[in-house]
Amino acid sequence: MSSATLRYPSSPVRAPARSKPAPRGASRVVVKEPRKVRLPKPDFVVIRRLIWPVLLVLLVAGGLSMGDQVLALLDRPISKIMVRGELSQANQQLVEQLVAPYSGSSFFAADMSQLRAELKQLPWLSEVEVRRVWPDQIRISLEEQLPVARWGEAALLNNSGTAFTPRDREKYQHLPLLQGPQRAQQQVMQQYQMLSQILRPLGFSITRLELR
């Protein structure tokens, strides 16, 4: 017997499809992203110029408020007035009368310049010092005039030739009497001191000296 071999036609193999190249010169479609809304940038220079005055006003206002509170805590009524100095009894009483209104007043509000001016008006005081001592004291240092001679019938002279009029001048009648023109007080005192130094070793003293 003869054999026969049958061959069936195989299906053709198809090549993969190729994409067509884009024609030259053709524009491509590009998708553009949406633009972000641009906000104006803040001007920091202007902001700083506005902030500093506001901060300064706030600091000043806060400082004044705190200062008043601190002052209220520190301020106390004056409870003690100390007077130092060797004064006669009459003069001591007069000084106490002048300083009495300041007792109980505000420590910071009390006018020390006014008190000193009132004490300086007393003619028999040569030195006056007034100062506060926290928390509630006033210290006053006084120095009385040292009379060396009488000047006329109504005044006394200290060792520098300055005239003053004490309240109790009657008790100084034992002092030497010096007289002269009103502008010659220091000149007469200098002559009195010079002559006293010359006569004292001889046992003499001057009871009256007049410049004419």
Side-chain angles (χ1 to χ4, degrees):
M1 288 181 66
S2 58
S3 62
T5 304
L6 297 178
R7 297 181 177 179
Y8 295 94
S10 59
S11 59
V13 180
R14 295 181 180 180
R18 297 180 179 179
S19 60
K20 296 182 178 181
R24 294 182 180 180
S27 60
R28 297 181 180 180
V29 178
V30 179
V31 179
K32 296 183 178 180
E33 296 180 358
R35 294 183 179 179
K36 296 180 180 179
V37 179
R38 295 183 178 180
L39 297 176
K41 295 182 179 180
D43 192 348
F44 292 102
V45 176
V46 177
I47 295 176
R48 285 197 297 266
R49 291 179 179 177
L50 295 176
I51 288 177
W52 282 114
V54 175
L55 290 177
L56 183 60
V57 171
L58 294 176
L59 288 174
V60 171
L64 292 177
S65 178
M66 291 183 62
D68 293 339
Q69 295 178 2
V70 173
L71 186 62
L73 292 175
L74 296 179
D75 194 11
R76 300 182 182 182
I78 297 173
S79 63
K80 189 174 183 180
I81 301 178
M82 300 178 60
V83 179
R84 297 179 178 179
E86 296 181 1
L87 305 177
S88 62
Q89 185 65 28
N91 294 339
Q92 180 74 28
Q93 293 176 357
L94 183 58
V95 170
E96 291 176 357
Q97 294 175 4
L98 285 176
V99 302
Y102 293 86
S103 179
S105 60
S106 169
F107 179 79
F108 293 108
D111 193 346
M112 297 294 99
S113 298
Q114 181 179 354
L115 176 57
R116 185 177 185 276
E118 292 175 356
L119 292 172
K120 287 289 289 184
Q121 291 179 356
L122 300 176
W124 42 267
L125 288 179
S126 60
E127 297 292 337
V128 176
E129 181 182 353
V130 180
R131 62 189 181 95
R132 294 182 178 90
V133 179
W134 194 81
D136 56 357
Q137 294 185 19
I138 294 179
R139 291 184 182 178
I140 303 173
S141 298
L142 304 176
E143 185 175 341
E144 228 174 4
Q145 297 273 16
L146 178 62
V148 176
R150 291 176 292 158
W151 180 253
E153 298 298 331
L156 300 177
L157 288 179
N158 59 17
N159 55 357
S160 63
T162 302
F164 64 98
T165 307
R167 299 178 62 185
D168 52 351
R169 60 181 180 273
E170 291 79 10
K171 69 177 184 179
Y172 299 105
Q173 295 299 318
H174 62 283
L175 295 177
L177 176 63
L178 306 184
Q179 291 181 322
Q182 190 66 24
R183 298 180 180 179
Q185 296 172 355
Q186 295 182 357
Q187 181 181 357
V188 175
M189 175 55 66
Q190 291 174 358
Q191 292 181 356
Y192 167 76
Q193 292 174 343
M194 180 185 64
L195 293 174
S196 296
Q197 291 178 358
I198 295 174
L199 297 175
R200 189 175 296 111
L202 302 176
F204 295 98
S205 61
I206 299 175
T207 58
R208 180 185 177 94
L209 179 63
E210 183 176 356
L211 177 63
R212 296 181 182 178

